[in-house]
Amino acid sequence: MKSIAALQAAVTAVPLDGEPSDAELDAIEQEMPLILAEVDLLDAQIMTLDRPAGELDERRIRRARNRVMAARRDLTNRLGTGEAA
């Protein structure tokens, strides 16, 4: 019977920390306005899944889409000017 100890050592040589690095946390923080806008859009869309969308629902979804687009624009502009780096 072969021993697989050497194979296990190669696979488990680098222990997984499991915590995000400071750079990853900074990236998440910079993207947070976009993330929140996308969550709001998803919430607005979920509300209309089990019923037809009324005028108020359509307005809510349209506003949420506009907030997502604005957040994407702002994030792209920040990344383009080097503020995020």
Side-chain angles (χ1 to χ4, degrees):
M1 178 184 271
K2 292 184 186 180
S3 174
I4 61 169
L7 294 177
Q8 289 176 345
V11 171
T12 60
V14 180
L16 182 60
D17 185 17
E19 296 291 325
S21 68
D22 288 341
E24 291 170 331
L25 290 173
D26 289 340
I28 292 170
E29 185 176 333
Q30 289 178 357
E31 293 178 11
M32 191 54 67
L34 176 59
I35 293 168
L36 294 175
E38 289 175 339
V39 168
D40 289 342
L41 175 59
L42 187 59
D43 285 343
Q45 291 170 334
I46 287 172
M47 283 195 274
T48 63
L49 286 178
D50 60 346
R51 60 184 165 87
E55 184 180 336
L56 182 62
D57 295 322
E58 291 173 3
R59 232 183 291 163
R60 185 179 293 125
I61 291 171
R62 185 175 58 248
R63 287 185 192 141
R65 281 187 184 135
N66 289 339
R67 283 192 297 271
V68 168
M69 294 302 291
R72 285 182 184 163
R73 180 198 61 220
D74 294 343
L75 180 62
T76 302
N77 287 340
R78 280 196 312 268
L79 293 175
T81 60
E83 288 181 33

